[in-house]
Amino acid sequence: MAEIERPGAQQWVPAGAGIAELRVAASGCRGCELWEPATQVVFSAGTASARLVLVGEQPGDQEDRQGTPFVGPAGQLLARAVDAAGIARSEVYVTNAVKHFRFTERGKRRLHEKPGIAHIDACRPWLHAELDVVQPRVVVCLGATAGRSVLGREVKIGAERGRILGGEGAAVLITAHPSSLLRMQEPADRDAAFDALVADLRTAAAAAAQGAAE
Ligand code: URA
Ligand code: SF4
């Protein structure tokens, strides 16, 4: 197989840029091959002054079409969890570890394909630039891909979720990805997983509020 060239996003990230400028610049990113089959880059949503940042995996089919993160089924579930945790949506900044939709085509359908470690690494400069601008109190990693991007190592959701992990910058909290709930067949499992997600979001919000009072 031919070697795929992945220079990484860094050379496309303008220094000292705010979120609006980063968003525009990301549309020209060629840091990995995922830009090409995708419809558009999906950058972020929410306020740049947020204390709480939620990091997902990558845009899905709907997000790729609309250009906004978390607008599809996983996003609707996440919005319900954020509401249930008592967090105002206007107080969070939502983004993804990887900014272009990775998929395989099956007839007319586009099936989500997990980003590889190389894609996470290639795209990480965007996330770092966002975190530099927003400077949140707490970064919530929704799933293992976000955890890998933020912490730079493999994370095990089951073992590490729900605790505030210290760090030199923002505190980090790992939790499940909302789409893992959508894959559950049993309503009881789904409900329990939803409650666990809400509890983790509450923990993160409380830590963000506490940090802000110091
Ligand atoms: N899943 C994600 O991780 N991010 C999105 O934006 C949508 C679905
Ligand atoms: Fe650039 Fe990230 Fe898109 Fe790859 S996925 S082209 S690194 S923005």
Side-chain angles (χ1 to χ4, degrees):
M1 215 166 79
E3 189 81 354
I4 297 175
E5 208 183 314
R6 294 193 185 100
Q10 192 61 60
Q11 63 185 280
W12 283 274
V13 179
I19 297 298
E21 202 186 324
L22 290 173
R23 180 189 312 282
V24 172
S27 64
C29 185
R30 303 293 181 258
C32 74
E33 77 283 8
L34 294 183
W35 68 274
E36 204 165 2
T39 309
Q40 59 191 317
V41 73
V42 178
F43 203 68
S44 65
T47 169
S49 58
R51 293 178 197 155
L52 200 56
V53 167
L54 308 185
V55 183
E57 181 195 67
Q58 65 168 350
D61 178 70
Q62 292 292 321
E63 289 80 15
D64 171 81
R65 294 174 199 274
Q66 296 184 39
T68 309
F70 284 109
V71 291
Q76 285 158 23
L77 198 150
L78 179 63
R80 280 201 282 121
V82 165
D83 288 348
I87 301 166
R89 287 188 218 176
S90 58
E91 283 171 16
V92 293
Y93 178 90
V94 182
T95 192
N96 282 305
V98 172
K99 308 294 198 237
H100 280 99
F101 178 35
R102 185 179 196 212
F103 61 92
T104 44
E105 283 186 291
R106 261 321 138 66
K108 286 208 180 115
R109 291 183 57 206
R110 305 190 303 168
L111 301 182
H112 167 275
E113 199 182 335
K114 238 170 102 75
I117 290 172
H119 304 115
I120 299 168
D121 289 346
C123 213
R124 187 181 285 114
W126 291 115
L127 183 60
H128 278 201
E130 292 169 277
L131 294 177
D132 280 351
V133 173
V134 178
Q135 301 209 350
R137 303 276 174 172
V138 181
V139 179
V140 175
C141 302
L142 302 165
T145 295
R148 163 130 218 148
S149 182
V150 170
L151 296 174
R153 62 170 173 83
E154 193 186 344
V155 301
K156 296 246 185 286
I157 307 298
E160 297 187 74
R161 70 176 295 165
R163 281 182 282 124
I164 296 290
L165 309 172
E168 26 184 288
V172 174
L173 181 138
I174 314 268
T175 190
H177 193 286
S179 55
S180 67
L181 278 64
L182 296 175
R183 289 193 294 270
M184 293 175 178
Q185 302 295 328
E186 294 294 329
D189 292 345
R190 239 194 231 206
D191 289 350
F194 183 81
D195 291 347
L197 175 59
V198 171
D200 288 350
L201 291 173
R202 277 214 181 95
T203 301
Q210 199 177 33
E214 273 163 15

